[in-house]
Every structure is written in C-alpha cells, then in structure tokens.
Amino acid sequence: MPLNSSPDLDPAETQEWRDALRSLIEAQGPARARAVLDELARLAHEHHVGWQPERNTPYVNTIAVDDQPPFPGDLAIEERLASLMRWNALAMVVRANKAYGELGGHIASYASAADLFEAGFNHFFHARSHGHGGDLVFFQPHSAPGVYARAFLEGRLSEADLAHYRQEIVAPEHGARGLSSYPHPWLMPDFWQFPTGSMGLGPISSIYHARFMHYLSDRNLLDCAGRKVWGVFGDGEMDEPESMSALTLAARERLDNLVWVVNCNLQRLDGPVRGNGRIIDELERLFAGAGWNVIKLVWGSDWDGLFARDRSGALLRALQGTVDGQMQTFAAKNGRFNREHFFGQDPELAALAQGMTDEQIDRLKRGGHDLVKIHAAYAAAAAHKGQPTVILAHTKKGYGMGQAGQGKMTTHSQKKLDDADLIEFRNRFNLPLTDEQATSLSFYKPAADSPEMQYLHARRAALGGHLPRRDTSCEPVAVPSLAGYGQFALAAGGKEMSTTMAFVRMLGNLLKDGQLGPHIVPIVADEARTFGMANLFKQVGIYSSVGQRYAPEDIGSVLSYREAKDGQILEEGISEAGAIASWTAAATSYSVHGLAMLPFYIYYSMFGFQRVGDAIWAAADQRARGFLLGATSGRTTLGGEGLQHQDGSSHLVAATIPNCRAYDPAYAGELAVILDHGMREMLERQQDVFYYVTLMNENYAQPDLPEGAAAGVIAGAYLFERLGPASGPGVTLMGSGAILGEVRQAAQQLAAQGLGVDVVSVTSWSELAREGAAAGAAEPYIARLLGQTRGPIVAASDYVRAVPDSVRAYLPADRACATLGTDGFGRSDTRAALRRFFAVDAASIVERALTLSAAAP
C-alpha cells in the first residue's frame, strides 16, 4: 500500500467507482473520461480535500501494444546492422587500449544506446537537403565510438581512421584521420555539429537551439517548420544543473520541435544513478511537472506476453517494488539468477516464467533495446503537438558485454576484453566473425552489394543523407561603413559618455541597416535597462512567441516595455546559462541553418567566463561567431557592488580560448574600430572567431580616435599621446580600459615634474601576447611599438597583474618594467577608493614610475 494511502473503509463502494469509470471509458471514450476526472479534481480542490494525482504512471510503456504503429523497416536487417556497429565500436576502443593503454575510450554507453541511435538514423533523423532544412541531433558524448562505427559502414570513415581513434596527432602520419574522443566540431569540422562532451551542456543547448528555430520562423527569416531537435542524453547527466535549468522554458515556449531521449541505463560512471530509488519515476515527475510530454519506454516486446498473462498484477507489483540498484544487479546476472531472485519472489511470478528457459529470461529486453518499441515511441514524440517530449528509455549499460561488463559497477571504464569475452560478444550478437577475427578485433564491413549495406544507404538517402554532418555553406552578410554608424565615436570631441552607452548607440544604428540589421540578435540576461537599452524596446521589440497579452505598466512611457512575436531582442531573464546557450544558437546559425546571424550578448562581465566559462568553451568548440560584451567590467568600475560583482579575471580566462579575440578598449573610438573589424571578420570573411569586448559604466570625456590608430587598435596597442620634454629622462605608461584614464592623469603629473612620458593605449593584452608568441625569431609587434618610446615601462589594468604580465616576455629586455593590477577580492567603495586600495590609481602609477626612473642607469 502506498505510504500516503489510508485503509479502504468501504471496498464495495470503491469497486463501484472503478466500475463506473470503466463503463464511462468503454461507452464514451478516454476524452470524456478525462473531462470527468478533471471536473472531479476541480471539485476536490474546491472543497479543500487536499488531493492531487500522482505524477507517476505505472512502470510500463506509455505506448500500449494495441497503439503501436506497424514497424516500417526490415527488422532483421536493422538488428544485424546494429550488431555490426556495436562490434566495430567495441573493436575500435579495445584496439586503441591494447596498443596504448592511456588512450581511454568508452564501450558501455554506446552498447546501451545503440538501438536508440539506430532507430533514429533509419527512420527519423533528417539531414539537411534541398527538400528539408535538416534536424539537429545532439549525441550522447560517450557514445561517439558508435557514431564512428556507423560512419565506417557508410564509407565516410576508413578502417585506418577507426584504427587511429583518439590519435589525432599521429594519424596523418599514417594517412588516416584521427578521431576525436567526443563530438568536437573544432577538431572534426565537417563531421560533428554540436559539442556535448561536457555533460549537461548538450541538454540546455538543444532547448535554446529549438527556441531559436522558432525565433527565426517568427521573424520570417527562415522557415523551420517540420524540423526537429533530437537529443540523446544520459540519466546520470540529468543531475547536471544545466540539464534541468531550462525545462520550463521549453514547455512555456511550447517547443514541440524538441525531443529528448534519456538513456536510462541506471548507471553513472561508478555506480547506480539512483540505487535506492528509481530514476525513471523521478524523471517522469520532474518532466511532467515542468510541462513536458513524457513517454516511458521501459519493456521490450518479449514482456508483452508476460504482462498479458499476468491477471493478478503480480508482475507489475514486483517491478514497482524493485529499486534501480537491484535492477542493475539483475542486469549483471544471468537468466538462472533472475529466475530465482526476480521471478522466484512469489508463486504467481514463478508461474509466469514457467516454460521459459534461462536463456530466454536472460534475453528479455528492456524497452531501449527493442527497435519496434523505440520506433513507436519516436513516432509518437515526433507527432506530438504543443509540448516538448521526453522519452525515458530503459536500457542496460554494457548491453551484450556479458560477464565483461553488462550492468557492472566498473562497466563505464571497461576498455579491455579478453578472448573469451570477445567470443561471447560475437556469439551474443551472432556476428559473422571467425574466432581469429573476433580475438584479433578485426573490423567488419559487409560487401557493398549486401542487403545490409544497400538498406543502410537507402534509409539515409530517404532522410536526406549522412549524419552527423557539419555544413558551413552560408551567404556572407555585408557590413555597413563604420562612419555610417560610429562616426560619433570616432570623432567624439570630448563628449562624456561610457563605452557601454557608446555600444548601445552603435547597436541601435546597426539595427537600422537594411542588410545587416535583420541578422543582428541582441541578447541580454534581464539587465537591458541597466545597460541603457530601453530605447531598443520600441525600436525592435523583445521576442515573445505569443506576442504581448498585457498592457505594460509603463505603456505611456517613451521607453515602455514591448514584447512582440517578431521582436528582435532575446531577454533571457536571470539566467546567464540560458543567455549563453541562446547566444551559441545564434552564433552558430551559419552552420546549423545556413543563415548567418550576429548575436551581441551583453552582461555583467563577472557573470561571464567565471560563471559560464564551460559553455563559452563549448561555443568555441562549435566555432561560434558573435560578440560577448562584458559590461561594468574591471574590478574598480562597479564601485559599491562589491566582491561577487567586480571582475578582475575575465580577460585572463578569455586569453585561454584560442578563437576568442578579447579587447579592453578605453574609448568609444577604439570600440567602434573593434566592432567594425570583428563584424567584417565574421560576416564577410566568415572566420571562425568570436569577440569578447569589455565595456565600462563610467562616464568620462571621449577623445577623437588619433589618426592612423585603427591598425594598432586591432593589433592590441598604439601610441596614444606624448607629454613633457622630447629629450632627456622619460617613462612609458601602458594602460587599458578603465585604468587608461588613471594612466593619463599620471602622465600629466609626471610631465609636470619634467619627465617625458609616452602613453600607450592597450586595447588587447591577449592579442599582443599571442602575436608575440607567434613571432618566433622576428621582433614582436609590441616590442617594435615600444621601440618608439623611452624609459622604464609601467603597465596597468583593472584586472589581475597576470593580464598585463602576459606581454612581459615581449617587451624590450633592456628596460625595467612593472605591472599594476587588481589582485585579490573586490570591495564595496567608491571608484577612487578602490583604485587607491588596489594601487592602480594615478598616484600609484606615478610612484612606481618615479621609482623605476630613479633606478634606471
């Protein structure tokens, strides 16, 4: 009896209610029964009965046997193909680890998911073609060997490629392509489309990609109707906060173009996911509560007869009472053990198993290993309207690996099998291999004219071609002239403004451009008014899939809040993880949809690389193109906000990402040049880079951009001004971003004391460091630039000292150098107090410069 149930005080009356409901269903159908139950629930709430229906349904398949559509394929051929892929995936990993034990790799995850993949590949996953925009498929990363094994049978990868799994450096020496460990578009740019190797990022990314497809359709930029986003993820992966954080958004946006398949093999890396509970039940409650359509795929066709014969409900009760830790034990044991310990629980269960051999019991399939059941679940998910769908597919980790790994605690790390294990695997899947071929781990590929190969190619041809496949064909987008949208910044004439305000003004101008404007995607995480973007509400609107169903409180205001179905701004609420996922969807639209979009995501800089750095790294892997704007940047510009808001390290992290170009401009003119160069690099020249640009909220006088400075701005530094005597003792001051103002004040004080001062505006420490590292024997750019200056060098920024220190190796060796930065935790105080505290104010710069000058020979 359930813990929350009371004893049945009137069984006869209870039976009458049961009979009445059955009669209603038989006479008027399920729809009428649902309506009556809804009315009864409403009445119960009205009378404060304190009841609500359980979120869990019985531990059986959602799709009843009678509701299964006919299987449209050749079941025998599809099962043989799946077996071949299992073998080639296993052989690939085991061969690599026999040769090089350090390479690693995974067998068990794909062994559990192979049939889930194959049903999709053969019947549902559309490639981009002339007649179809293509589905988006996110593959469980540990199952990558299985995707390679299929590509081998398709002729997309060679035997030599498979033999060099996880050997990307040495493979070309042997005329082969090294295969990356997990889905990595950067490393295999024509193959993988989405990086999913950092667990949890695939799920949230798939949601925002699905939403972005609606955004493109609603703005009449691209018709995404008929396209699906499929994601195959692990049950253990659902513990990642990113996996769960956007479930309600998917339901709220009614993303019926989204289907998740959660591979519930009940195991994490080292043990059961919910050993003392039931992960399928837990996930059903979670997804149903979030508003998703839930399809449970629990038992294979072999169980249908057992359920049909189970008149007393003994089988269902036994399954309901079995926790996942015990279910894992049943998976790891043989048929005799399961006969004794599962079916032997009571006489009714034992009777159900009579007539079955131990081998038949051992081969009872879970739903995720039955192609007929999987197809039925996928078909229902694909046809469902109005909600995203999750399929909870019950599988066995290490399925078919027998004593070597099926269901065992160590199965995730199982990379080596002995000869007996290999023979057992061969026999289990009836593979056409001799003993010698099995023990030598020979790859197997049927003849080109075999029924299997003809079927394989025919199914993919019907679905538009091979997957996964990354296509970068995309029309370039013209960028308007810089003078047209940024002249006010280039010739600022001393007008006071912050670089944030300068950016917003340029963004507003760019949005008006007839060619580029529609391709721009402004993104903000609930801080649009903070960044002065309220004027864009009226100009382009905030995207809403349902428009605006209310009159906003500030409707009479010039800057009133405006949502629209064709709105352009993506305002993601207080969710940096969601906003960066949205940015990634837009930044990769050129490859995912063949339509270049240009996202500008603006946020508090401290809540970027420090908070969602893993997601930014994944975007880099996916070859994103767009702008990240770290506003209120630096450790001393945000004043009173204090420790958790003050960013002193984002440029340090940005420098570690190879295709991220990071800039810390001090002035609007510098910012304009950077934006123009970035747009042309990404949209016109179609380079796989993205830009991180920090912006300040501090208002100060904006000078004109010096003539001829643009090239230096992009290179990372330029000579901004010279003060004091042209000859005699001198000092060079380098500064970036918010601290350049302090540097200039220091320069004026030093010049007043008779020193010649050269002020160098550094727009990018990381670009200078990269160029210096790549220069080799040649003189680095920063050294050449400083060759035009004199004296000791003081370099200061609003970031930790490691940022300016990154260029120290490329400075003139014969000149003393000191770096000033904001190491340590932030504080709440005024800007002046903070800069004095961290010793990056003008007085500190003057003091350090005089100390170095006094010590100079």
Side-chain angles (χ1 to χ4, degrees):
M1 179 184 299
L3 294 178
N4 61 348
S5 297
S6 302
D8 190 344
L9 301 179
D10 192 341
E13 183 184 34
T14 302
Q15 188 59 46
E16 289 177 5
W17 280 91
R18 289 196 189 101
D19 292 341
L21 181 59
R22 288 195 190 97
S23 176
L24 177 65
I25 295 170
E26 291 172 2
Q28 300 188 49
R32 176 59 181 161
R34 286 194 297 270
V36 170
L37 290 171
D38 287 341
E39 177 59 22
L40 291 175
R42 187 196 63 75
L43 191 61
H45 289 311
E46 184 179 305
H47 289 275
H48 308 289
V49 173
W51 170 89
Q52 61 182 16
E54 292 184 10
R55 287 292 181 185
N56 281 123
T57 57
Y59 206 62
V60 295
N61 295 338
T62 302
I63 311 293
V65 178
D66 293 341
D67 295 330
Q68 286 178 197
F71 186 72
D74 188 315
L75 184 59
I77 288 181
E78 290 192 26
E79 288 179 338
R80 288 199 296 273
L81 284 169
S83 297
L84 292 177
M85 290 166 201
R86 277 193 174 91
W87 170 259
N88 286 327
L90 177 148
M92 182 187 350
V93 175
V94 177
R95 282 175 64 157
N97 281 279
K98 277 193 172 184
Y100 308 97
E102 67 198 85
L103 289 178
H106 302 278
I107 303 169
S109 292
Y110 177 68
S112 68
D115 297 301
L116 299 174
F117 282 10
E118 283 307 295
F121 276 123
N122 286 323
H123 300 285
F124 295 96
F125 299 164
H126 288 266
R128 193 194 303 181
S129 63
H130 292 300
H132 196 285
D135 292 335
L136 284 58
V137 185
F138 290 75
F139 292 98
Q140 190 178 16
H142 292 99
S143 296
V147 181
Y148 293 142
R150 168 171 262 271
F152 168 61
L153 291 190
E154 292 173 335
R156 303 172 64 201
L157 297 176
S158 69
E159 187 169 324
D161 297 333
L162 265 60
H164 287 87
Y165 171 61
R166 292 194 172 195
Q167 299 164 65
E168 296 168 271
I169 297 173
V170 302
E173 300 171 10
H174 302 275
R177 176 179 192 171
L179 304 181
S180 61
S181 53
Y182 304 118
H184 292 305
W186 188 264
L187 300 173
M188 299 180 68
D190 62 341
F191 192 89
W192 293 114
Q193 196 170 30
F194 304 107
T196 53
S198 193
M199 306 296 277
L201 298 188
I204 190 172
S205 184
S206 71
I207 290 174
Y208 280 89
H209 271 283
R211 200 278 297 268
F212 190 68
M213 291 164 70
H214 280 221
Y215 172 88
L216 292 175
S217 294
D218 287 342
R219 290 192 54 217
N220 296 312
L221 295 172
L222 186 71
D223 184 3
C224 294
R227 300 172 63 193
K228 295 286 185 182
V229 179
W230 297 84
V232 182
F233 309 118
D235 50 355
E237 186 176 2
M238 293 299 106
D239 282 346
E240 291 284 5
E242 294 89 350
S243 297
M244 298 287 100
S245 63
L247 295 187
T248 53
L249 177 138
R252 184 171 67 249
E253 296 290 311
R254 301 171 62 85
L255 299 182
D256 51 15
N257 60 335
L258 177 66
V259 179
W260 280 11
V261 182
V262 180
N263 177 19
C264 298
N265 59 32
L266 313 186
Q267 284 188 250
R268 292 195 186 98
L269 306 189
D270 295 325
V273 175
R274 296 288 185 273
N276 297 303
R278 296 154 62 86
I279 188 61
I280 290 180
D281 284 350
E282 179 179 323
L283 292 178
E284 181 183 24
R285 291 192 298 271
L286 180 67
F287 280 93
W292 287 51
N293 173 44
V294 180
I295 296 176
K296 289 163 68 172
L297 174 58
V298 189
W299 307 113
S301 301
D302 296 338
W303 290 84
D304 290 342
L306 294 173
F307 282 112
R309 297 199 303 274
D310 179 28
R311 300 298 183 183
S312 67
L315 178 57
L316 186 57
R317 287 194 299 274
L319 294 171
Q320 291 280 93
T322 303
V323 296
D324 285 353
Q326 188 61 41
M327 196 71 75
Q328 179 192 3
T329 299
F330 291 145
K333 302 298 183 180
N334 59 23
R336 176 169 291 279
F337 180 92
N338 282 277
R339 180 190 296 278
E340 295 174 357
H341 292 85
F342 179 75
F343 288 103
Q345 294 181 66
D346 63 49
E348 291 176 311
L349 277 179
L352 283 178
Q354 283 181 356
M356 296 178 69
T357 66
D358 291 345
E359 182 179 9
Q360 287 174 319
I361 292 176
D362 187 50
R363 287 184 174 244
L364 284 170
K365 288 181 179 179
R366 295 182 182 177
H369 301 306
D370 187 318
L371 290 171
V372 174
K373 298 289 188 184
I374 298 169
H375 178 273
Y378 282 18
H384 189 76
K385 300 298 182 184
Q387 292 172 287
T389 293
V390 62
I391 297 169
L392 304 176
H394 196 196
T395 65
K396 294 180 181 180
K397 192 159 188 176
Y399 178 64
M401 292 173 66
Q403 293 302 308
Q406 180 171 284
K408 294 184 179 297
M409 295 293 188
T410 57
T411 189
H412 186 80
S413 300
Q414 189 71 37
K415 299 167 179 61
K416 297 181 180 180
L417 286 80
D418 60 27
D419 288 354
D421 294 329
L422 294 169
I423 295 294
E424 182 184 356
F425 191 94
R426 189 258 335 251
N427 294 341
R428 169 67 180 81
F429 291 104
N430 195 27
L431 296 162
L433 300 168
T434 66
D435 287 357
E436 194 279 329
Q437 287 174 319
T439 56
S440 65
L441 294 163
S442 298
F443 296 123
Y444 184 84
K445 185 176 184 178
D449 60 353
S450 66
E452 291 83 1
M453 296 299 285
Q454 291 181 346
Y455 186 89
L456 178 84
H457 290 296
R459 291 310 311 143
R460 286 313 312 161
L463 292 168
H466 299 306
L467 279 178
R469 185 182 73 219
R470 184 172 178 274
D471 188 350
T472 59
S473 57
C474 179
E475 288 294 322
V477 178
V479 176
S481 68
L482 174 53
Y485 65 88
Q487 186 61 31
F488 76 92
L490 299 174
K495 182 178 180 180
E496 284 203 357
M497 73 178 84
S498 69
T499 52
T500 298
M501 290 300 97
F503 163 72
V504 173
R505 183 172 171 183
M506 281 185 270
L507 178 63
N509 291 340
L510 288 168
L511 285 165
K512 296 173 185 174
D513 183 76
Q515 288 186 285
L516 175 61
H519 294 263
I520 291 176
V521 184
I523 301 172
V524 64
D526 204 49
E527 293 150 343
R529 293 188 190 275
T530 301
F531 301 138
M533 297 174 65
N535 61 307
L536 299 182
F537 295 166
K538 280 286 183 70
Q539 182 179 340
V540 294
I542 299 162
Y543 172 70
S544 166
S545 61
V546 296
Q548 191 163 35
R549 296 175 172 176
Y550 62 92
E553 170 273 331
D554 59 353
I555 194 169
S557 167
V558 174
L559 303 179
S560 64
Y561 200 79
R562 184 175 76 89
E563 297 185 71
K565 191 167 184 177
D566 62 351
Q568 201 159 344
I569 302 169
L570 290 173
E571 192 167 31
E572 302 299 3
I574 305 175
S575 174
E576 287 82 10
I580 196 66
S582 197
W583 180 85
T584 302
T588 56
S589 178
Y590 74 95
S591 64
V592 176
H593 306 294
L595 176 68
M597 301 296 287
L598 185 66
F600 290 87
Y601 169 32
I602 185 170
Y603 55 90
Y604 275 41
S605 66
M606 189 63 173
F607 304 148
F609 288 87
Q610 296 89 332
R611 187 160 192 166
V612 290
D614 195 13
I616 296 174
W617 184 262
D621 188 354
Q622 200 176 331
R623 297 172 172 255
R625 301 173 185 171
F627 287 93
L628 297 174
L629 291 309
T632 61
S633 70
R635 186 145 282 164
T636 69
T637 59
L638 198 51
E641 288 290 338
L643 183 151
Q644 196 65 27
H645 285 66
Q646 292 169 348
D647 165 31
S649 56
S650 67
H651 273 284
L652 194 63
V653 183
T656 67
I657 301 178
N659 54 336
C660 175
R661 302 192 65 177
Y663 288 88
D664 184 32
Y667 296 125
E670 296 172 348
L671 172 62
V673 169
I674 293 164
L675 293 180
D676 185 72
H677 185 271
M679 288 189 292
R680 296 187 190 283
E681 188 173 18
M682 293 183 285
L683 293 178
E684 294 183 344
R685 297 194 293 277
Q686 300 194 25
Q687 298 298 301
D688 293 342
V689 296
F690 66 98
Y691 279 60
Y692 174 56
V693 185
T694 41
L695 306 173
M696 273 70 72
N697 63 327
E698 183 178 359
N699 290 318
Y700 46 74
Q702 298 287 337
D704 294 349
L705 184 73
E707 186 176 351
V713 169
I714 299 305
Y718 66 98
L719 184 59
F720 180 79
E721 63 184 354
R722 283 185 159 137
L723 303 174
S727 60
V731 66
T732 298
L733 304 183
M734 303 173 64
S736 70
I739 301 305
L740 185 59
E742 301 291 333
V743 166
R744 292 184 65 195
Q745 290 181 42
Q748 292 168 6
Q749 295 174 29
L750 290 167
Q753 298 181 44
L755 280 176
V757 187
D758 295 317
V759 176
V760 174
S761 175
V762 177
T763 53
S764 177
W765 302 98
S766 57
E767 287 298 299
L768 293 175
R770 285 175 182 171
E771 192 277 339
E779 187 178 23
Y781 169 79
I782 187 59
R784 297 196 307 273
L785 177 65
L786 293 177
Q788 305 170 33
T789 68
R790 55 184 163 149
I793 302 166
V794 178
S797 84
D798 213 8
Y799 295 86
V800 294
R801 285 193 297 272
V803 173
D805 267 340
S806 65
V807 305
R808 184 183 287 267
Y810 312 111
L811 304 183
D814 59 345
R815 293 163 67 178
C817 176
T819 54
L820 305 179
T822 55
D823 293 57
F825 286 119
R827 302 288 193 280
S828 296
D829 216 307
T830 63
R831 292 187 184 114
L834 288 168
R835 289 167 185 169
R836 186 168 60 249
F837 174 82
F838 285 109
V840 292
D841 61 339
S844 299
I845 296 168
V846 167
E847 180 182 355
R848 185 60 62 89
L850 291 174
T851 301
L852 292 181
S853 295

